[in-house]
Amino acid sequence: MIRVGTCGFCEGRGKYYRDFDAVEVQQTFYRILREKTLKRWRKEAPEGFTFSIKAFQGAEDI
């Protein structure tokens, strides 16, 4: 299966979810996002939407 998306939300999330079926979340490479934020995105997104999360580059304890 091929998923189409961009690196980051290039427009408002509501419109983005209608236009694409995947997103690469680049912010997670630079900082650890709050669980609350990720849960909100999951709840907002339509069923079957794919979030590709970049691995955190930092060495701090998680």
Side-chain angles (χ1 to χ4, degrees):
M1 175 185 298
I2 296 174
R3 300 271 184 186
V4 177
T6 63
C7 180
F9 294 105
C10 58
E11 53 195 26
R13 283 191 309 277
K15 182 169 179 2
Y16 188 92
Y17 295 140
R18 290 189 300 274
D19 292 343
F20 300 99
D21 61 4
V23 68
E24 178 186 61
V25 180
Q26 186 170 4
Q27 295 137 296
T28 54
F29 183 74
Y30 300 103
R31 63 186 169 89
I32 297 171
L33 296 181
R34 295 183 328 196
E35 183 177 354
K36 180 172 126 177
T37 299
L38 299 172
K39 284 181 177 182
R40 185 180 74 241
W41 289 357
R42 172 68 355 210
K43 186 175 180 181
E44 292 173 351
E47 188 173 328
F49 189 87
T50 299
F51 291 89
S52 175
I53 306 293
K54 283 189 156 189
F56 180 60
Q57 72 171 342
E60 68 184 54
D61 292 332
I62 297 176

